[in-house]
Amino acid sequence: MADWEVRPASAADVDAIAELRAVVMRGDLERLGRYDARRVRQRLRDGFVAEWTWVIEVGGAFAGCVALRPDGDARCHWLEHFYVGAQHQGRGIGSGVLGELLERCDRGEVDGGGGIGVGVGVVRLNVLQGSPARRLYERYGFVVEAEDAVDVFMVRGPAA
């Protein structure tokens, strides 16, 4: 497993994250007939909230990101914008980051703003149909809640 660290994101990270999103998602979006080079980046910029986002670094360099957004009534968190650069994939970084985040959720140590939250532990996400990332989420206890032609919506309850 590669050595990695996470740090809180800042507004200055948005362009690097938007570019990574475009690169990482391109294959799946093209397969689904949904790729638009401008839109894929702009959607990230439009919804970016630094307080909910962490940057993944390997050797002090940008390697990926992940966001954990509280839902409107604090019943769960949404795992979003979880991207690891291709050169860092397959090295256990995604698994390590996801495992750490889920443990923090289960202990009530996230509130979406980096502080201490309520121990809700329920995490939701959506993944593109056919994405290999789905297997990672299933290994961590996520189950399909609903799906459509483009997205698979998954949920994971708090750890027992």
Side-chain angles (χ1 to χ4, degrees):
M1 180 190 288
D3 289 331
W4 55 269
E5 296 180 332
V6 294
R7 65 163 173 81
S10 71
D13 293 309
V14 71
D15 288 333
I17 293 171
E19 186 60 30
L20 178 63
R21 178 181 199 265
V23 170
V24 169
M25 293 185 68
R26 184 174 186 152
D28 285 329
L29 289 172
E30 285 179 338
R31 179 179 42 78
L32 294 167
R34 311 275 300 193
Y35 184 76
D36 177 304
R38 188 198 66 76
R39 185 169 186 246
V40 72
R41 291 167 175 86
Q42 194 59 48
R43 284 191 69 190
L44 182 286
R45 288 182 186 104
D46 290 346
F48 180 76
V49 178
E51 292 80 15
W52 301 336
T53 308
W54 291 270
V55 169
I56 303 164
E57 294 182 337
V58 174
F62 178 80
C65 61
V66 63
L68 198 60
R69 174 180 55 86
D71 77 348
D73 58 7
R75 290 180 302 141
C76 74
H77 285 86
W78 283 88
L79 182 73
E80 299 176 323
H81 308 305
F82 190 15
Y83 314 119
V84 176
Q87 68 274 29
H88 300 292
Q89 291 177 11
R91 298 171 55 199
I93 296 168
S95 293
V97 170
L98 182 58
E100 183 176 297
L101 271 180
L102 294 175
E103 286 176 14
R104 291 181 63 198
C105 286
D106 292 340
R107 292 191 308 258
E109 295 176 357
V110 295
D111 67 358
I116 302 300
V118 296
V120 175
V122 176
V123 179
R124 286 188 159 79
L125 60 84
N126 66 293
V127 62
L128 292 172
Q129 285 283 5
S131 172
R134 178 175 172 174
R135 290 188 302 275
L136 171 66
Y137 300 134
E138 288 171 338
R139 282 196 311 266
Y140 280 86
F142 284 88
V143 296
V144 174
E145 191 170 40
E147 57 186 297
D148 60 29
V150 175
D151 292 302
V152 177
F153 296 88
M154 303 181 82
V155 64
R156 176 195 169 270

